[in-house]
């Protein structure tokens, strides 16, 4: 089977959507299929093109058996709503002729688009219709609603109406998938037939509890970051407005009297400097850059508890990909989410969920788990089991490959 995937993000971007698109592509190659990926030059989460990819030339490579074509695009340093639209438009404009050339030459059975970006998904859909391929749209988040929720788009404004129209067109796929049951339900609310929708979850980067070497290797971080024997409340991932990371700073301020606790935020993103400035007077919080993916297990093992804040407006518009690795680390998760949302249901029994924006409840939950090792271990053990049962990469990717073959047939 010949497959072409169009997605703006791809490896070597360390977090976010890129690693999952790369995982899908390489798993198809392992199953014996021919795969071409058209993506942007890596820029996320720093929102700047990686130095080794500077320039306006396309970059071709073969990675894990996948033919990868990376395209130049406009990347705003501070991604406002309007600038994000230009960002996605620049990629879509360059992707159209590149995609068409690859599709005419390779005659794929299936063309798959990853959203974000919906604008480039329309490009993939057009090309699929031209060459007679089946079209699969995979939604990692509902970017229009998320942009409204985070203030990047004004509802009922001109840009919003344009973005919504693009979304309506993009949803006309032969197969559509999303990463949670709640997001799949949102697709049916948009008029997509249930028979066209499948759930395609993200997965944990490691499929078991941290082994002994991860536990001991975490000591390397403790020594390098001067953590000694303190509990670590850890957040690792993108630092942007939809995360609502201000609540971590507020909780650190609330718990600054505890000498046995240090907050660690590992990440990059457009709001990093602003967040660091807001915590400049706090001795119990550290900011660290993103760590290498090959050290993910030992970083996750560093945590006594994982922190997963999210603004209320983003509920069920996405499911944070970082949750998978938090659960797989067999550590409890403390999240902010409304009761009954997808995030709250995923964490139920594996940690504590408090109302979004309630920093007092957030801090209290951290203190409660740190002071109760029995409960902390119970939640952690359940988290590891849930990751193995529901977020296993082999099971997820094997099911995806079967569904893709069914669509091509």
């Amino acid at each position: 089977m010949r497959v072409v995937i169009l997605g703006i993000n791809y490896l070597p971007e360390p977090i976010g959507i890129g690693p999952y698109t790369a995982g899908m592509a390489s798993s198809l190659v392992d199953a014996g299929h021919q795969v071409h990926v058209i993506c942007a030059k890596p820029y996320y989460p720093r929102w700047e093109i990686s130095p080794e990819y500077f320039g306006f030339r396309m970059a071709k490579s073969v990675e894990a058996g996948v033919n990868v074509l990376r395209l130049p695009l406009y990347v705003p340093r501070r991604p406002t709503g309007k600038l994000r639209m230009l960002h996605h438009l620049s990629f879509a404009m360059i992707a159209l002729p590149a995609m068409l050339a690859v599709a005419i030459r390779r005659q794929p059975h299936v063309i798959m688009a990853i959203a974000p970006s919906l604008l480039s998904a329309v490009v993939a859909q057009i090309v699929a219709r031209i060459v007679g391929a089946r079209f699969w749209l995979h939604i990692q988040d509902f970017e229009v609603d998320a942009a409204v929720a985070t203030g990047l788009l004004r509802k009922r404004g001109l840009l919003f109406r344009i973005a919504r129209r693009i979304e309506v067109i993009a949803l006309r796929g032969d197969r559509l998938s999303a990463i949670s049951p709640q997001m799949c339900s949102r697709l049916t609310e948009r008029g997509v037939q249930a028979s066209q929708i499948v759930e395609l979850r993200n997965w944990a980067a490691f499929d078991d509890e941290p082994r002994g070497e991860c536990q001991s290797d975490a000591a390397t971080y403790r020594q390098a970051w001067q953590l000694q024997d303190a509990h670590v409340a850890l957040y690792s991932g993108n630092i942007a407005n939809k995360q609502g990371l201000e609540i971590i700073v507020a909780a650190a301020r609330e718990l600054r009297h505890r000498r046995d606790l240090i907050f660690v935020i590992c990440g990059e993103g457009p709001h990093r400097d602003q967040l660091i400035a807001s915590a400049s007077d706090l001795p119990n919080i550290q900011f660290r850059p993103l760590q290498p993916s090959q050290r993910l297990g030992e970083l996750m093992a560093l945590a006594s508890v994982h922190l997963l804040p999210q603004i209320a407006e983003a509920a069920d518009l996405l499911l944070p990909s970082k949750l998978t690795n938090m659960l797989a680390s067999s550590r409890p998760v403390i999240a902010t989410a409304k009761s009954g949302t997808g995030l709250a249901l995923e964490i139920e029994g594996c940690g504590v969920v408090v109302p979004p924006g309630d920093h007092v409840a957030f801090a209290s939950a951290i203190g409660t788990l740190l002071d109760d090792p029995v409960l902390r271990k119970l939640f952690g053990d359940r988290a590891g089991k849930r990751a193995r049962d529901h977020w296993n990469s082999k099971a997820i990717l094997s099911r995806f490959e079967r569904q893709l073959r069914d669509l091509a047939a």
Side-chain angles (χ1 to χ4, degrees):
M1 183 171 61
R2 297 181 298 277
V3 181
V4 175
I5 300 174
L6 178 63
I8 197 167
N9 302 104
Y10 201 74
L11 287 179
E13 294 179 350
I15 61 172
I17 297 169
Y20 293 106
T21 303
M24 282 190 277
S26 61
S27 72
L28 292 175
V29 169
D30 292 341
H33 305 296
Q34 300 175 33
V35 183
H36 284 73
V37 168
I38 300 171
C39 60
K41 293 185 176 183
Y43 68 91
Y44 185 84
R46 290 180 176 271
W47 283 87
E48 59 184 27
I49 298 290
S50 299
E52 60 268 35
Y53 290 95
F54 279 161
F56 295 101
R57 294 176 63 88
M58 299 179 184
K60 293 183 179 180
S61 60
V62 178
E63 303 169 21
V66 180
N67 297 281
V68 181
L69 177 62
R70 291 188 171 87
L71 307 179
L73 79 169
Y74 164 69
V75 179
R77 191 70 184 93
R78 297 294 178 193
T80 63
K82 291 180 180 179
L83 294 182
R84 277 177 185 262
M85 289 284 283
L86 289 175
H87 165 71
H88 289 303
L89 179 61
S90 70
F91 178 69
M93 290 176 63
I94 298 173
L96 178 57
M99 186 88 179
L100 194 56
V102 170
I104 290 174
R105 187 169 67 252
R106 300 297 177 183
Q107 289 296 304
H109 298 95
V110 178
I111 289 179
M112 185 175 194
I114 311 296
S117 155
L118 287 170
L119 192 56
S120 58
V122 172
V123 167
Q125 183 186 118
I126 292 171
V127 174
R129 301 302 181 235
I130 290 174
V131 299
R134 306 290 274 173
F135 174 61
W136 182 322
L137 174 63
H138 178 54
I139 298 177
Q140 287 278 1
D141 73 50
F142 286 93
E143 60 191 281
V144 179
D145 292 327
V148 172
T150 54
L152 292 173
L153 275 182
R154 184 170 56 86
K155 199 167 186 178
R156 290 183 293 275
L158 177 60
L159 286 180
F160 172 80
R161 292 196 299 272
I162 294 172
R164 187 64 89 196
R165 181 58 185 165
I166 292 170
E167 180 183 70
V168 169
I169 297 171
L171 293 183
R172 297 171 182 166
D174 300 304
R175 179 65 49 82
L176 291 95
S177 57
I179 60 175
S180 74
Q182 293 74 23
M183 292 173 67
C184 290
S185 296
R186 189 174 285 265
L187 283 173
T188 62
E189 293 169 4
R190 297 289 169 82
V192 180
Q193 295 296 315
S195 59
Q196 296 176 277
I197 302 170
V198 296
E199 182 183 356
L200 175 54
R201 287 182 166 236
N202 291 332
W203 54 88
F206 47 94
D207 288 333
D208 208 343
E209 301 173 42
R211 297 172 175 84
E213 61 266 22
C214 289
Q215 303 278 13
S216 59
D217 287 346
T220 306
Y221 278 119
R222 287 192 171 275
Q223 182 177 5
W225 295 350
Q226 299 181 345
L227 298 170
Q228 286 77 45
D229 295 326
H231 288 293
V232 173
L234 176 66
Y235 172 86
S236 179
N238 185 31
I239 302 178
N241 52 358
K242 66 184 174 185
Q243 273 72 37
L245 298 183
E246 297 80 8
I247 198 172
I248 296 180
V249 175
R253 198 176 304 281
E254 194 79 14
L255 297 172
R256 65 188 304 172
H257 63 279
R258 294 192 65 137
R259 302 302 179 190
D260 63 338
L261 169 62
I262 295 178
F263 291 78
V264 176
I265 296 178
C266 292
E268 305 288 348
H271 290 266
R272 190 173 192 270
D273 292 342
Q274 179 181 336
L275 200 67
I276 291 174
S278 70
S280 60
D281 62 320
L282 294 175
N284 61 339
I285 187 167
Q286 296 184 8
F287 289 85
R288 301 292 177 180
L290 282 173
Q291 300 302 297
S293 58
Q294 59 269 28
R295 297 191 69 186
L296 180 61
E298 57 192 277
L299 176 66
M300 294 288 103
L302 179 66
S304 297
V305 295
H306 290 294
L307 307 179
L308 186 52
Q310 190 180 67
I311 62 173
E313 293 80 5
D316 293 339
L317 301 178
L318 49 87
L319 186 64
S321 58
K322 59 184 74 65
L323 172 63
T324 60
N325 295 319
M326 291 178 177
L327 295 175
S329 73
S330 293
R331 300 294 191 274
V333 180
I334 301 173
T336 63
K338 292 181 179 179
S339 176
T341 60
L343 179 56
L345 294 173
E346 295 290 349
I347 293 172
E348 186 176 0
C350 302
V352 181
V353 177
V354 303
D358 190 341
H359 72 275
V360 174
F362 195 63
S364 177
I366 295 170
T368 297
L369 284 182
L370 297 186
D371 292 337
D372 191 339
V374 175
L375 182 62
R376 194 167 70 244
K377 185 178 187 306
L378 175 64
F379 282 159
D381 290 345
R382 288 176 177 173
K385 184 178 187 303
R386 185 161 300 173
R388 293 189 296 275
D389 291 345
H390 299 288
W391 305 89
N392 181 277
S393 62
K394 292 179 182 178
I396 292 169
L397 291 172
S398 176
R399 186 165 55 249
F400 163 62
E401 192 267 342
R402 291 195 304 269
Q403 292 167 337
L404 199 65
R405 280 193 283 108
D406 289 343
L407 177 63

